[in-house]
Amino acid sequence: MASPRAAGKYVVGMPMWMWVTRSTSSYGPATATATAGGVTVTATAHVAAIRWDMGDGTTVTCNGPGPPYTADRGKSPSPDCGHRYERSAADQPDGRYQGTATATWTVPALGDGGEFTETRQTAFTAAVGEVQVLN
């Protein structure tokens, strides 16, 4: 998971982009082969979706790894994996929302068209504050 970053500071109302840095262990595809009793089976797993519990009572489900944020995107929202916090985390432990990203991995089953699923969770924190402008 590349965002939200623990060292990052986020602002109420500003778009937050969430994404996963793709690798075989973080997003797939991951392939493994096993042999038993003269039978060899190869299975390939991949992430079908990531459910982000943002720590503020909302969840966001992303069906892909999410595009990484780059500075040239400015204040635009993520096209497919983003969130906006609506209130500060000042009342949360350490002034941070405590969230989790849950990846659902799928492995197609042999021959019957079904699939196996496995979930993996990663915790994150997000320091979210307010910016107040005086006129």
Side-chain angles (χ1 to χ4, degrees), residues 10-17 69 74-78 82-85:
Y10 302 94
V11 177
V12 170
M14 293 297 292
M16 172 186 278
W17 289 50
Y69 176 80
K75 298 176 188 169
S76 65
S78 172
H83 179 63
R84 287 182 199 256
Y85 282 101

Side-chain angles (χ1 to χ4, degrees), residues 12-71:
V12 170
M14 293 297 292
M16 172 186 278
W17 289 50
M18 289 107 63
W19 71 91
V20 174
T21 301
R22 292 182 80 146
S23 72
T24 55
S25 63
S26 69
Y27 198 78
T31 301
T33 301
T35 301
V39 176
T40 299
V41 176
T42 300
T44 301
H46 69 279
V47 172
I50 301 174
R51 182 178 179 270
W52 300 81
D53 175 345
M54 302 308 296
D56 64 349
T58 61
T59 58
V60 176
T61 299
C62 302
N63 294 315
Y69 176 80
T70 55

